[in-house]
């Protein structure tokens, strides 16, 4: 393609085997130029094109090169194009024995230079020139010129065609520039449509297309295409406490770490890493050949993001919930496979340990039957099938009953008991968690009113609330309404909020907690130790009690380190004036250690399992005896341990 410098030159190639005619052309086109360089070598040609003479002559309109055979003409055109100095016109004699004729040469020239104007010159108008435009397209660049011609005719034709050539070139330039801009714009739009602007990773749309691409080619490839979706637990907390920039930096670091870990493998099996949602990433891996490899891959994804990230000088330890689904087992369409991975991810997000969930068809069944389930659940709330079981807490120093935790249970008409881990997430999904909370709190208030009215009830009952409830603007008035209706004093009710729920959105939690505190109900932090919070952070909130997470209690006897962790939580909690409860106490050994560590309260199977209200009444009646026995045995145990 000619550049602008070259297009200022009118370059003409004249091809004729008749030396006299060549001279005539030169006379017509180059009256003021020495005809000697008409038959120039490449060197001369170059000089003529870019050299001094040209500029000095100024007025010269045509730079003419001549050839007397078709083959040489083709070579000259080739050389000119290669030098980026193409001809505007080639005058081609139709017959040049013994070599190639003009038409043949024209075809070859056209194949080399699509822009040059070719003028076939002949003394007669034979049939061979009838279809020139079809034979040597495009039609607007092939012409016929009859010999003998007048000098003026030749000059005018050359001038007109050179002018046309220059406009063609300018138009071509403009078009190319336009195409370049369109390409640039398309790339930018493609990026916008298919890439996440923060991490520059493929977005959901591109991830879908990539998987569909793999599925379409799956007949030729071996193994499954696996989708691993991962959600960063409590990302919003990091955003909130360390700032938006830290959150962005973290997202980018996660993306690039995943890419380094999975995208540099064998190109045939290269994974795609993308951002699937706010704090969700996807890793798509083709050609995974068996279940063990799928599990291995998912584990590796989890490990990769759970290695600490250094963000703004701080080590961040993340927890990822993972959902896994794969083609062709879970669907033959990309959308379906992702939906399955999402269902599995949501299951993981609801499980307390942020595990890896592999999709199974039961989840699809559940999704399909969501409507039925919704109706059943609503009915369960309305008909009082959701009730509370009670689990006692006792003082470690005296063994006396210190409080009770109310734990929701769904008792189906056939008597089966559904645990809260199954229906609380469902209630949240269905937007019915406030209804559920109201019905559990009402149940608790009715039971407490009964115990109180029977005589000597003084201890508080703890009711669990979820993060969802904190977002309910009417939470405080709802609690007041229920308590007032059953005439229950505020000091008989505590609310238990998990540390994670509390920190999910502190801007929302803080004012709600203040209102609840002002109203007079107690606020307890549940499952403490599983989140990121520091105790000093919690100290700014109006809470009274910390419940050490069961996992710490379960490991209590295993090592000195675990004991020291529990010991520090207790010590720090107390230093801040908080009461400390250990939950999940199952053995006398654990009880004894907690007692020794001066944990205020314990709760767990060692004392009693959660039970329905009537059984709890029986248990309480006999509590004084049985508990002092257990309490004593724990004391003996610890004394033995000491000895
Ligand atoms: P949580 O509040 O931490 O309750 C303690 C859980 O540990 C209960 O499980 C209890 O049955 C169990 N547990 C108690 N002692 C022991 C023990 O010694 N060993 C073991 N292995 N487990 C013990 P549950 O009743 O299945 O409740 C699970 C979670 O569901 C609760 O954890 C709480 O977060 C939530 N939950 C329960 N009821 C409600 C409710 O009405 N509303 C809301 N939002 N959440 C609730
Ligand atoms: Mg609780
Ligand atoms: Mg708990």
């Amino acid at each position: 393609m000619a550049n602008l410098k070259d297009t200022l030159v009118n370059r003409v190639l004249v091809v004729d085997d008749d030396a006299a005619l060549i001279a005539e052309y030169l006379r017509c086109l180059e009256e003021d130029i020495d005809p000697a360089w008409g038959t120039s070598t490449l060197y001369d040609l170059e000089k003529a094109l870019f050299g001094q003479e040209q500029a000095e002559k100024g007025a010269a309109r045509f730079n003419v090169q001549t050839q007397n055979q078709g083959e040489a003409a083709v070579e000259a055109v080739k050389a000119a194009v290669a030098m980026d100095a193409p001809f505007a016109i080639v005058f081609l004699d139709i017959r040049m024995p013994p070599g190639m004729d003009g038409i043949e040469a024209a075809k070859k020239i056209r194949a080399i230079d699509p822009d040059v104007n070719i003028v076939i010159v002949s003394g007669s108008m034979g049939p061979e020139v009838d279809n020139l435009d079809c034979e040597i397209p495009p039609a607007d660049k092939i012409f016929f010129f009859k010999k003998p011609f007048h000098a003026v005719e030749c000059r005018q034709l050359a001038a007109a065609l050179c002018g046309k050539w220059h406009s063609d070139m300018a138009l071509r330039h403009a078009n190319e520039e336009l195409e370049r801009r369109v390409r640039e714009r398309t790339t930018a739009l493609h990026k916008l449509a298919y890439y996440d602007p923060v991490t520059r990773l493929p977005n959901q749309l591109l991830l879908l297309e990539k998987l569909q691409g793999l599925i379409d080619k799956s007949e030729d490839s071996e193994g499954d295409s696996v989708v691993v979706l991962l959600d960063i637990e409590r990302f919003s907390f990091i955003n909130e406490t360390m700032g938006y920039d830290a959150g962005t930096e973290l997202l980018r670091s996660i993306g690039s770490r995943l890419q380094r870990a999975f995208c540099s493998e064998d190109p045939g099996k290269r994974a795609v890493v993308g951002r699937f949602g706010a704090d969700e990433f996807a890793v798509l891996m083709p050609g995974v050949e068996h279940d063990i490899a799928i599990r291995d891959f998912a584990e590796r994804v989890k490990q990769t993001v759970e290695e600490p990230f250094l963000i703004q000088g701080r080590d961040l330890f993340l927890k990822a919930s993972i959902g896994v689904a794969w083609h062709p087992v879970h669907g033959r369409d990309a959308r379906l496979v992702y939906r399955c991975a999402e269902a599995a991810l949501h299951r993981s997000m609801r499980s307390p340990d942020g595990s890896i969930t592999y999709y199974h068809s039961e989840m699809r069944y559940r999704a399909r039957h969501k409507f039925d389930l919704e109706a059943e659940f609503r009915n369960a709330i309305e008909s009082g099938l959701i009730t509370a079981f009670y689990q006692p807490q006792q003082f470690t120093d005296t063994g006396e009953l210190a409080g009770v935790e109310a734990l929701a249970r769904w008792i189906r008409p056939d008597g089966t008991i559904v645990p809260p881990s199954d229906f609380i997430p469902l209630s949240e999904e269905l937007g019915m968690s406030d209804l559920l909370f109201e019905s559990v709190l009402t149940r608790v208030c009715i039971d407490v009113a009964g115990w109180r009215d029977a005589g000597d009830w003084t201890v508080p009952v703890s009711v669990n609330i979820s993060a969802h409830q904190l977002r309910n603007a009417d939470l405080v008035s709802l609690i007041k309404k229920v308590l007032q209706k059953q005439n229950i004093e505020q000091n008989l009710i505590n609310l238990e909020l998990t540390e994670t729920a509390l920190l999910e959105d502190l801007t929302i939690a803080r004012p709600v907690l203040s209102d609840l505190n002002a109203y007079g109900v107690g606020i307890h932090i549940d499952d403490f130790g599983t989140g990121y919070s520091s105790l000093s952070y919690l100290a700014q909130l109006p809470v009274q009690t910390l419940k050490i997470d069961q996992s710490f209690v379960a490991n209590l006897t295993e090592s000195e380190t675990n004991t020291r962790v529990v010991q520090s939580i207790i010590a720090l909690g107390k230093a801040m004036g908080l009461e400390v409860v250990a939950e999940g106490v199952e053995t006398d050994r654990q009880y004894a250690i907690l007692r020794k560590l001066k944990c205020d309260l314990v709760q767990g199977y060692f004392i009693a399992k959660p039970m329905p209200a009537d059984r709890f009444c029986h248990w309480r009646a006999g509590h004084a005896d049985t508990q002092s026995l257990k309490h004593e045995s724990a004391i003996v145990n610890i004394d033995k341990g000491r000895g």
Side-chain angles (χ1 to χ4, degrees):
M1 167 59 221
N3 61 34
L4 220 56
K5 177 178 64 159
D6 302 319
T7 58
L8 298 174
V9 181
N10 293 329
R11 292 183 29 79
V12 177
L13 175 64
V14 173
V15 191
D16 206 304
D17 58 341
D18 180 345
L21 206 61
I22 292 265
E24 179 61 13
Y25 274 111
L26 291 173
R27 197 178 64 76
C28 300
L29 301 175
E30 279 198 337
E31 281 161 333
D32 46 355
I33 295 176
D34 179 358
W37 65 261
T39 51
S40 58
T41 60
L42 272 180
Y43 171 74
D44 294 331
L45 177 70
E46 213 171 327
K47 228 168 56 177
L49 275 173
F50 309 117
Q52 290 298 308
E53 296 102 308
Q54 165 78 7
E56 280 157 15
K57 287 187 180 91
R61 277 191 263 152
F62 305 106
N63 285 343
V64 184
Q65 189 190 346
T66 64
Q67 295 295 346
N68 59 10
Q69 281 298 307
E71 290 83 351
V74 172
E75 286 309 310
V77 169
K78 203 185 276 175
V81 167
M83 287 173 61
D84 215 5
F87 292 106
I89 313 173
V90 179
F91 285 97
L92 256 178
D93 184 18
I94 201 160
R95 257 174 282 284
M96 292 172 284
M100 179 192 292
D101 71 18
I103 296 199
E104 189 58 29
K107 286 181 186 163
K108 293 198 164 20
I109 287 171
R110 172 60 73 236
I112 296 164
D113 185 342
D115 296 309
V116 65
N117 292 298
I118 301 176
V119 182
I120 301 290
V121 186
S122 170
S124 63
M125 295 259 289
E128 68 271 37
V129 298
D130 282 355
N131 286 322
L132 277 182
D133 51 350
C134 299
E135 273 184 72
I136 309 159
D140 66 338
K141 287 185 176 134
I142 182 88
F143 303 89
F144 177 72
F145 193 40
K146 192 159 183 302
K147 298 194 267 199
F149 46 78
H150 191 277
V152 175
E153 275 179 317
C154 177
R155 238 188 131 76
Q156 279 181 348
L157 178 63
L161 291 185
C162 282
K164 172 177 173 297
W165 185 83
H166 284 298
S167 354
D168 285 351
M169 288 301 109
L171 191 64
R172 177 185 262 251
H173 266 294
N175 278 340
E176 280 178 356
E177 178 58 18
L178 192 67
E179 272 170 27
R180 191 187 59 75
R181 286 218 215 134
V182 168
R183 265 198 310 275
E184 256 176 36
R185 193 84 195 104
T186 314
T187 316
L189 285 174
H190 184 271
K191 280 221 159 106
L192 269 182
Y194 283 104
Y195 288 85
D196 163 50
V198 174
T199 57
R200 299 183 207 282
L201 294 176
N203 64 12
Q204 224 181 75
L205 200 63
L206 187 54
L207 284 164
L208 264 167
E209 287 193 7
K210 294 268 183 196
L211 177 60
Q212 195 55 53
L214 288 171
I215 292 176
D216 294 342
K217 284 194 310 201
S218 60
E219 300 226 317
D220 321 329
S221 56
E222 301 211 328
D224 297 342
S225 294
V226 182
V227 171
V228 171
L229 290 186
L230 68 103
D231 176 277
I232 306 303
E233 278 183 27
R234 307 198 324 96
F235 175 73
S236 58
F237 172 65
I238 291 165
N239 244 349
E240 197 169 310
T241 51
M242 292 180 64
Y244 188 76
D245 287 350
T248 305
E249 193 185 332
L250 177 63
L251 289 175
R252 290 189 180 138
S253 308
I254 296 172
S256 45
R257 187 186 286 177
L258 285 169
Q259 275 189 315
R260 274 198 308 280
F262 297 100
C263 300
S264 52
E265 296 182 2
D266 157 18
K269 272 195 166 189
R270 197 164 279 164
V272 180
V273 169
R275 186 169 176 206
F276 200 72
D279 56 353
E280 284 174 19
F281 288 83
V283 188
L284 167 60
M285 178 67 95
V288 186
E289 277 175 17
H290 42 74
D291 282 11
I292 298 172
I294 293 175
R295 277 166 205 275
D296 217 52
F297 168 51
E299 299 277 353
R300 274 206 296 143
V301 172
K302 191 167 165 67
Q303 277 161 18
T304 304
V305 287
E306 291 188 350
E307 290 285 313
F309 283 90
L310 184 68
I311 302 290
Q312 296 187 348
R314 281 178 61 179
D315 270 333
L316 291 185
F317 292 82
L318 306 182
K319 280 233 158 278
S321 302
I322 298 226
V324 190
W326 54 98
H327 169 270
V329 178
H330 300 134
R332 297 192 168 267
D333 154 70
R335 234 166 248 290
L336 189 56
V337 178
Y338 275 106
R339 239 186 280 140
C340 293
E342 267 187 296
L345 174 66
H346 288 139
R347 171 67 63 95
S348 283
M349 284 162 72
R350 290 197 301 259
S351 77
D353 55 348
S355 55
I356 300 179
T357 304
Y358 299 90
Y359 181 82
H360 54 83
S361 52
E362 196 186 287
M363 293 181 194
R364 190 180 304 169
Y365 177 84
R366 199 184 131 177
R368 226 184 295 137
H369 292 268
K370 206 164 161 185
F371 284 120
D372 299 348
L373 208 62
E374 178 175 12
E376 194 190 348
F377 186 64
R378 196 179 287 280
N379 179 49
I381 290 182
E382 282 163 5
S383 345
L385 296 179
I386 308 281
T387 185
F389 274 27
Y390 296 94
Q391 187 178 32
Q393 300 168 336
Q394 69 179 47
F395 291 112
T396 38
D397 55 352
T398 62
E400 281 169 32
L401 182 69
V404 184
E405 177 170 10
L407 294 153
R409 295 289 182 269
W410 174 0
I411 304 184
R412 283 211 155 107
D414 63 3
T416 50
I417 299 177
V418 186
S421 52
D422 278 10
F423 63 84
I424 283 169
L426 175 71
S427 77
E428 288 173 359
E429 255 171 57
L430 300 176
M432 293 166 72
S433 67
D434 291 332
L435 260 182
L436 172 70
F437 169 67
E438 186 176 351
S439 80
V440 173
L441 185 64
T442 305
R443 182 72 254 159
V444 168
C445 287
I446 293 171
D447 289 339
V448 171
W451 300 331
R452 183 198 52 198
D453 297 345
D456 56 347
W457 186 263
T458 51
V459 299
V461 180
S462 300
V463 179
N464 292 281
I465 66 172
S466 65
H468 271 251
Q469 264 103 53
L470 287 180
R471 295 201 189 93
N472 175 5
D474 297 329
L475 178 70
V476 184
S477 53
L478 171 76
I479 294 173
K480 281 186 191 168
K481 185 188 82 181
V482 177
L483 264 64
Q484 277 163 8
K485 190 163 176 207
Q486 307 303 330
N487 195 22
I488 296 292
E489 297 79 16
Q490 293 91 303
N491 64 355
L492 287 182
I493 299 294
N494 294 322
L495 298 174
E496 275 190 18
L497 251 170
T498 61
E499 183 193 9
T500 337
L502 185 59
L503 297 172
E504 206 163 273
D505 201 338
L506 262 184
T507 38
I508 293 179
R510 202 176 270 127
V512 180
L513 294 191
S514 299
D515 288 353
L516 288 169
N517 187 53
Y519 174 56
V521 293
I523 298 162
H524 295 187
I525 307 288
D526 207 354
D527 302 349
F528 183 79
T530 52
Y532 289 78
S533 54
S534 68
L535 279 174
S536 58
Y537 201 66
L538 292 179
Q540 303 163 17
L541 300 169
V543 301
Q544 293 83 41
T545 301
L546 279 190
K547 294 185 78 175
I548 304 175
D549 189 62
Q550 312 196 358
S551 54
F552 294 102
V553 177
N555 296 328
L556 200 52
T557 48
E558 276 169 23
S559 76
E560 271 293 301
T561 321
N562 289 325
T563 311
R564 273 203 295 276
V565 171
V566 173
Q567 187 172 21
S568 349
I569 299 179
I570 296 172
L572 282 166
K574 289 193 161 197
M576 281 184 302
L578 301 175
E579 182 185 53
V580 182
V581 183
E583 51 180 346
V585 180
E586 293 185 349
T587 65
D588 58 348
R589 180 95 187 116
Q590 289 164 342
Y591 186 110
I593 295 174
L594 288 159
R595 187 171 182 278
K596 187 183 157 203
L597 297 177
K598 300 226 175 319
C599 181
D600 304 299
L601 266 61
V602 286
Q603 173 186 345
Y605 296 170
F606 176 64
I607 293 144
K609 287 197 167 178
M611 50 203 145
D614 52 349
R615 281 235 322 270
F616 171 69
C617 281
H618 278 112
W619 176 88
R620 193 161 74 93
H623 167 254
D625 305 334
T626 53
Q627 281 325 106
S628 57
L629 271 180
K630 283 191 179 174
H631 182 69
E632 291 311 321
S633 87
I635 294 171
V636 170
N637 192 320
I638 196 69
D639 287 344
K640 269 198 297 202
R642 206 182 285 138

